[in-house]
Amino acid sequence: MEPERECRVLSIQSHVVRGYVGNKAATFPLQVLGFEVDTVNSVQFSNHTGYAHWKGQVLNSDELHELYEGLKLNKVNQYDYVLTGYTRDTSFLAMVVDIVQELKQQNSNLVYVCDPVMGDKWNGEGSMYVPKDLLPVYRDKVVPVADIITPNQFEAELLTGRKIYTEKDALEVMDMLHSMGPETVVITSSDLQAPLGNDYLIALGSYRKTNADGTKITQRIRVESPKVDAVFVGTGDLFAAMLLAWTHKHPNNLKVACEKTVSAMQHVLQRTIKSAKAQAGEGNKPNSANLELRMVQSKKDIENPEIIVKATVL
């Protein structure tokens, strides 16, 4: 058998010394699944900002450009995938777009996976946790060059300017997002009522591709996964990384890619909450340090997830 060709990912995300968010949440699962990962750390913090204290440095757009130039001078700027997540700076984001466009000129098959992290809903109310001037950059520059995007419901609404009240609304919003550029859109979480009941969270996926002969493929799915009663950090980064890996391994089957991604997530979260409760002790609420994702301990589940969450084809 021919060995599978080396697949290389450029991941431009935050880095923490302790814990698992950004590149720390994305690199290990991608490596376990056989990818070479080159990381640019958009920030270097002691830990994620959900703790009482954090310290560290932020990379600016000029420094990002300088790092990329170094790769280019050595002619090692060849990538199959680019992965990006949380960023707070418009010029940094614009520089990411420049880099993606240049890499796509070199390799027309390059896939850009973007988690457009801008905000979320709490108790039904959406709010942005990045500066508002990032929205037009995501909408007008980033999403058009992205191939796979993983917004939550609030971010999908921000990008399209359209509210989601029903599953039908969500499908129409995903169509609007397709028309902006991406072939694959996954709304990673929503406040839609799950058919299985209130203890479940709905994610929706849509894949639309036009083949060389002009025929169109469309796949739409709904995934209902059990809610886990805790606030985890880094889950979005882990989700986007695993979706990248499983869509690579199942290129025309969003259903299987999402089942493997969401099932692996469930294994990691269940292990994390169990361990966090044990660490916190009887009757105590787990803190940020207790709730860091149990990534290394979940290696087998990431590599070969037992499918415990099924997707419904819509």
Side-chain angles (χ1 to χ4, degrees), residues 119-128 153-155 157 163-165 190-192 201 227:
D120 209 343
K121 289 190 176 187
W122 287 273
N123 309 322
E125 278 302 301
S127 68
M128 287 181 75
Q153 179 182 332
F154 177 63
E155 289 155 352
E157 291 174 343
K163 287 267 189 267
I164 296 172
Y165 301 105
S190 68
D191 48 22
L192 295 173
L201 190 68
K227 286 180 183 170

Side-chain angles (χ1 to χ4, degrees), residues 176-231:
M176 291 169 77
L177 289 167
H178 282 311
S179 68
M180 291 160 76
E183 270 184 5
T184 302
V185 178
V186 177
I187 296 179
T188 54
S189 62
S190 68
D191 48 22
L192 295 173
Q193 181 66 43
L196 288 172
N198 291 337
D199 296 336
Y200 288 80
L201 190 68
I202 283 192
L204 295 160
S206 179
Y207 171 69
R208 180 190 283 176
K209 187 180 184 195
T210 306
N211 290 323
D213 62 3
T215 54
K216 282 186 166 49
I217 312 173
T218 305
Q219 289 174 4
R220 301 166 176 290
I221 54 147
R222 178 201 313 125
V223 187
E224 297 173 75
S225 52
K227 286 180 183 170
V228 184
D229 185 27
V231 177

Side-chain angles (χ1 to χ4, degrees), residues 62-129:
D62 291 340
E63 291 162 334
L64 169 61
H65 184 252
E66 192 181 343
L67 288 172
Y68 178 69
E69 281 300 305
L71 296 171
K72 202 163 138 182
L73 289 168
N74 290 310
K75 298 187 169 55
V76 290
N77 59 330
Q78 275 91 31
Y79 292 98
D80 303 284
Y81 287 89
V82 176
L83 175 63
T84 64
Y86 179 77
T87 189
R88 293 188 59 84
D89 181 72
T90 51
S91 62
F92 190 89
L93 201 51
M95 180 59 68
V96 167
V97 173
D98 289 347
I99 290 171
V100 170
Q101 284 174 321
E102 185 168 312
L103 291 172
K104 281 192 169 196
Q105 279 170 353
Q106 287 180 184
N107 172 13
S108 59
N109 294 321
L110 179 127
V111 174
Y112 173 28
V113 181
C114 169
D115 185 3
V117 183
M118 290 183 284
D120 209 343
K121 289 190 176 187
W122 287 273
N123 309 322
E125 278 302 301
S127 68
M128 287 181 75
Y129 41 60

